[in-house]
Amino acid sequence: MRIRIALLLAALALPAFAADELPAFRAGLWEFKRSVDGGDGRPAMLTNQKCTNPTEDMQRKTETMIAAGCKPTPVEKSGNLYSFSFKCKLQGVEIQSKSVITAVSDSAYKVDAESKQGGKTTREQLDARRIGNCPETQP
């Protein structure tokens, strides 16, 4: 059960909302730098690169969260800031998440997220930027 809840918390912290409520991000090779603080004062730093379309990824994550029984709030937009939250109940455990995404351009965005499960709070910061085109695959 803890693994499922941990996975859900990680998914909650990521930007997730309907594609028509988002700016259109360019597909390509993206770099994601993530800092996750589980409340112990020692944030974990993770970096990865992925060929993706972030707008489509966000839409799929939203659909997955709703299918898992999570209820999103409507996205509130103010300039280039998008705020939203989710409330979930997984195996009897209440989970809440609030996120703010800052759309820097069609090739960069940032996310600040906070998730709460019982008395534990997890904070995440994500810095995502497009670093180029996806490598062409060899036949």
Side-chain angles (χ1 to χ4, degrees):
M1 178 169 105
R2 288 182 187 200
I3 293 172
R4 285 189 68 193
I5 291 172
L7 291 173
L8 184 58
L9 282 172
L12 283 169
L14 298 174
F17 25 66
D20 60 345
E21 298 172 340
L22 289 177
F25 294 112
R26 293 175 57 198
L29 180 61
W30 282 74
E31 180 175 70
F32 300 94
K33 294 181 180 180
R34 180 175 281 121
S35 171
V36 181
D37 184 350
D40 60 4
R42 297 182 313 230
M45 303 297 290
L46 309 164
T47 300
N48 70 313
Q49 293 179 358
K50 176 180 171 184
C51 280
T52 189
N53 181 325
T55 306
E56 291 175 3
D57 284 350
M58 292 176 198
Q59 185 175 13
R60 280 191 295 274
K61 287 175 188 157
T62 298
E63 292 166 359
T64 299
M65 300 301 293
I66 291 170
C70 297
K71 299 197 182 336
T73 61
V75 174
E76 293 181 22
K77 182 179 186 263
S78 177
N80 66 335
L81 300 177
Y82 298 78
S83 304
F84 60 97
S85 63
F86 276 98
K87 286 188 180 181
C88 304
K89 191 169 192 173
L90 181 64
Q91 298 178 349
V93 178
E94 293 279 337
I95 302 169
Q96 297 179 23
S97 174
K98 293 186 229 176
S99 299
V100 176
I101 183 171
T102 303
V104 178
S105 69
D106 66 354
S107 298
Y109 65 91
K110 297 178 184 212
V111 180
D112 289 296
E114 180 178 281
S115 298
K116 293 183 181 183
Q117 173 194 347
K120 183 173 179 168
T121 300
T122 302
R123 289 179 180 81
E124 178 175 343
Q125 292 181 317
L126 174 71
D127 185 6
R129 64 184 181 96
R130 186 178 186 277
I131 56 176
N133 294 326
C134 292
E136 293 193 29
T137 57
Q138 299 292 327

